[in-house]
Amino acid sequence: MVKEDKATWKANYFIKITQLLDEYPKAFLVNVDNVGSKQMQQIRIALRGTAVILMGKNTMIRKAIRGHLEHNPALEKLLPHIKQNVGFVFCKGDLADVREKILSNKVAAPAKAGGLAPIDVFVPKGVTPLGPEKTSFFQALSITTKIARGCIEILNDVHLIKADDRVGASEATLLNMLKISPFSYGLRILQVYDNGSIYDPSILDITDDNLIQSFMSGVSNIAAISLEVGYPTVASVPHSIVNGFKNLLAVAAETDVTFKEAEKMKAYLADPSAFAVAAPVAAAATEAAPAAKAAEPEEEESDEDMGFGLFD
């Protein structure tokens, strides 16, 4: 097979990028630091039929996008984010589903000296498989230990490495001796491109319930402001009607003015004892009815136990 020259390879690469940009309206801009070739192959297999991964030099990607701005000016929003070790995951389906597949493909990795820690690393307390000759590693890191049955025991949980700090040689050696792989690496989503808009991937975590809750909170605030300043709005009108009805009931209670909705209230104010007596009587009647129904079968059974018929 004849290997194509560099110029031909670049031309084909530009054609491929423009075809993907035209065909797929959505894409994830991902960081691929610490992702090996084998893991990348596994990710491609997992996304097969759902999404397409495109990697390449940032300069070539920028050049291809700039050359395609005439057909799609919205692509210019991607240019400021194409830096460092990044790539694209193009898709057509639901972004949340594709993101879940991307984030689920992670590989545990040991700590390496000089690397940045993506998360906080803790060493749990307890007995380790290390012998007393390894005490110097713990002393160098100011970790309190003791010897228990010929092994080193860590007395307290230790916050060994903080997130975004560089891993020291002693920390990396200790974690490797304890066979702790604290990190997991995979594609890290930086930005989401969706039909000309670009936004943070955290936006995909917003659900319909979150939107409804925010909307109802805004409606409540508008109603409160409208009631306070006396300016009627659609949100405040129901509250205004209820408050007005309460005022009418208050006027009817203090005067001889009456109307249909206030008659029950007036009757209660005129004779509260009638309502106090009626409630227990009604409750007793409802309790007595089931008791009477339960007693009826007992009378029928007593007739059957007489032992003779009408003409015996």
Side-chain angles (χ1 to χ4, degrees):
M1 181 178 178
V2 180
K3 185 177 179 180
E4 58 186 4
D5 56 28
K6 191 173 183 179
T8 305
W9 179 84
K10 283 186 176 182
N12 293 333
Y13 184 80
F14 289 147
I15 294 173
K16 182 179 180 180
I17 292 178
T18 54
Q19 287 177 345
L20 291 173
L21 291 172
D22 288 337
E23 182 179 356
Y24 293 90
K26 306 173 185 178
F28 291 99
L29 186 66
V30 296
N31 181 280
V32 294
D33 287 341
N34 302 302
V35 179
S37 58
K38 183 178 179 181
Q39 184 182 0
M40 181 64 73
Q41 183 182 5
Q42 293 173 347
I43 295 173
R44 290 181 186 274
I45 294 172
L47 295 176
R48 187 171 296 166
T50 304
V52 177
I53 299 177
L54 176 71
M55 304 300 299
K57 292 184 177 180
N58 292 346
T59 52
M60 295 180 63
I61 295 175
R62 290 195 201 98
K63 184 177 180 180
I65 290 176
R66 289 193 182 101
H68 201 60
L69 290 178
E70 183 179 351
H71 302 281
N72 189 356
L75 294 174
E76 188 175 5
K77 299 176 183 178
L78 290 171
L79 294 176
H81 303 285
I82 301 175
K83 54 187 178 182
Q84 298 179 349
N85 194 12
V86 298
F88 287 93
V89 179
F90 294 96
C91 62
K92 295 180 181 179
D94 184 69
L95 289 170
D97 293 339
V98 177
R99 182 184 65 162
E100 185 177 353
K101 290 183 178 181
I102 293 174
L103 298 181
S104 63
N105 283 276
K106 291 184 178 294
V107 175
K112 295 182 180 179
L116 288 176
I119 58 173
D120 292 321
V121 178
F122 293 87
V123 176
K125 64 180 181 181
V127 179
T128 70
L130 305 179
E133 69 277 3
K134 302 295 184 181
T135 306
S136 58
F137 287 99
F138 295 92
Q139 292 176 346
L141 297 170
S142 301
I143 299 175
T144 307
T145 61
K146 70 176 183 179
I147 305 301
R149 298 179 181 180
C151 294
I152 298 175
E153 180 180 354
I154 302 174
L155 299 181
N156 301 301
D157 292 338
V158 180
H159 190 179
L160 189 62
I161 307 172
K162 294 182 179 179
D164 298 326
D165 285 354
R166 291 203 174 274
V167 180
S170 298
E171 289 90 343
T173 303
L174 177 61
L175 291 171
N176 290 331
M177 287 193 302
L178 295 175
K179 297 181 180 180
I180 296 176
S181 297
F183 307 137
S184 59
Y185 295 115
L187 299 184
R188 183 164 59 90
I189 299 174
L190 303 177
Q191 296 290 330
V192 180
Y193 177 80
D194 186 2
N195 292 289
S197 300
I198 189 166
Y199 49 84
D200 191 89
S202 61
I203 301 298
L204 297 177
D205 295 326
I206 298 176
T207 63
D208 292 341
D209 293 337
N210 298 134
L211 295 175
I212 292 173
Q213 185 178 359
S214 299
F215 176 78
M216 295 306 298
S217 177
V219 170
S220 299
N221 292 335
I222 292 174
I225 294 172
S226 300
L227 292 172
E228 184 66 23
V229 302
Y231 184 83
T233 60
V234 175
S236 67
V237 165
H239 300 281
S240 299
I241 293 174
V242 172
N243 292 337
F245 181 68
K246 290 179 180 178
N247 293 334
L248 291 175
L249 290 178
V251 172
E254 295 295 330
T255 64
D256 295 333
V257 177
T258 184
F259 48 93
K260 181 179 179 181
E261 289 77 6
E263 290 177 356
K264 187 174 182 179
M265 180 200 67
K266 282 182 163 293
Y268 176 79
L269 294 176
D271 187 11
S273 60
F275 290 86
V277 173
V281 171
T286 55
E287 292 177 359
K293 291 180 179 179
E296 289 178 358
E298 295 180 359
E299 295 178 359
E300 294 176 0
E301 291 176 1
S302 62
D303 291 339
E304 294 174 358
D305 294 335
M306 293 297 290
F308 55 86
L310 181 62
F311 299 101
D312 289 345

